[in-house]
Amino acid sequence: MFNRAHLPLAFEILYYCQKSMEYGLNFNTQGNISARIPGTDLVMVTPSDIEYDRMSATDMVIVDMDGAVHSGSHAPSSEIDVHLATYERRPDAQAIVHAEPVFANAFGVAGTPIAGSMVNMIIYTKGEVPIMPFQQSNSREFGEAMCDVMGDLNAVVWANHGILTVGPDLRTAFKTAVAVESAAKILWAAKAISSDLSLLSYDELGLDHAL
Ligand SMILES: [Zn+2]
């Protein structure tokens, strides 16, 4: 029986799963989303291998920080260990979005970080988005190596696979994913127009790093 107290968070995760399809961040059953359950050591995550438009809020799975299922009638996302490794390393992260959008992935295949083409992306990511070299992504080891690459940034590209973003809430983590894909698309187009690009760094924005 799904704990009714967890329904608002489950609906929020489902909402952003559906938005990820609408915005072209995911296709089929790609991607996954999780969020810490406030006041607990538990994480709610999307189930494995269910299409988002067939997913219900009550299909969400709750796991502890070791990945053991606390409640839920499905298996958690196959990348739950990456999410948990990230929560351990980033206490500031309250939510995680993994998606597999086309243009950010093109940068991953090229092994080229997504430079600061747009101010919107840089505000959310806090810098150019680095590339985590390809590895199978279903282990804590992958998650820890990915966190080394991501550092204090809020986004990273997994080469030949997708992107992962973190945020102080799910809405912000999702907006970061949208901003990364949008900036990647613009950067790709700008590179086709000119090799002399106008790029931004987070430091030159002069923002407080606590933003
Ligand atoms: Zn994936």
Side-chain angles (χ1 to χ4, degrees):
M1 183 70 181
F2 200 88
N3 186 334
R4 293 176 64 88
H6 294 143
L7 272 177
L9 182 59
F11 274 112
E12 190 182 9
I13 290 174
L14 182 62
Y15 172 81
Y16 286 109
C17 287
Q18 292 170 346
K19 282 285 173 196
S20 79
M21 302 294 279
E22 186 182 320
Y23 291 177
L25 299 179
N26 284 315
F27 307 93
N28 290 322
T29 58
Q30 292 169 332
N32 33 70
I33 290 177
S34 72
R36 294 186 199 263
I37 299 179
T40 73
D41 285 332
L42 301 171
V43 167
M44 184 181 294
V45 64
T46 43
S48 177
D49 202 31
I50 297 180
E51 286 79 0
Y52 295 131
D53 56 359
R54 293 181 171 181
M55 194 179 285
S56 302
T58 53
D59 288 329
M60 301 303 165
V61 185
I62 296 173
V63 299
D64 65 21
M65 293 305 283
D66 294 323
V69 173
H70 178 271
S71 64
S73 51
H74 300 284
S77 162
S78 59
E79 282 151 344
I80 183 60
D81 285 338
V82 180
H83 289 239
L84 295 174
T86 306
Y87 286 123
E88 273 185 8
R89 286 279 289 273
R90 290 288 298 265
D92 60 313
Q94 297 301 316
I96 295 173
V97 172
H98 164 56
E100 304 189 11
V102 170
F103 288 91
N105 267 331
F107 281 83
V109 172
T112 303
I114 302 172
S117 63
M118 302 304 293
V119 65
N120 179 57
M121 183 195 90
I122 289 292
I123 288 171
Y124 284 112
T125 59
K126 295 187 164 52
E128 76 171 18
V129 182
I131 311 294
M132 164 70 188
F134 178 78
Q135 285 182 33
Q136 291 290 349
S137 58
N138 54 359
S139 69
R140 288 244 177 187
E141 291 70 29
F142 176 89
E144 285 161 14
M146 183 208 74
C147 286
D148 288 341
V149 172
M150 182 164 65
D152 293 332
L153 299 168
N154 292 327
V156 60
V157 177
W158 306 354
N160 313 95
H161 186 152
I163 63 172
L164 180 139
T165 61
V166 301
D169 52 63
L170 178 50
R171 181 169 180 263
T172 305
F174 185 79
K175 288 178 79 171
T176 303
V178 173
V180 168
E181 174 63 354
S182 174
K185 192 172 187 176
I186 291 162
L187 187 55
W188 171 79
K191 281 171 178 272
I193 297 167
S194 171
S195 59
D196 183 20
L197 304 180
S198 166
L199 298 172
L200 301 168
S201 71
Y202 186 70
D203 287 340
E204 76 188 87
L205 296 183
L207 296 171
D208 181 347
H209 276 257
L211 185 77

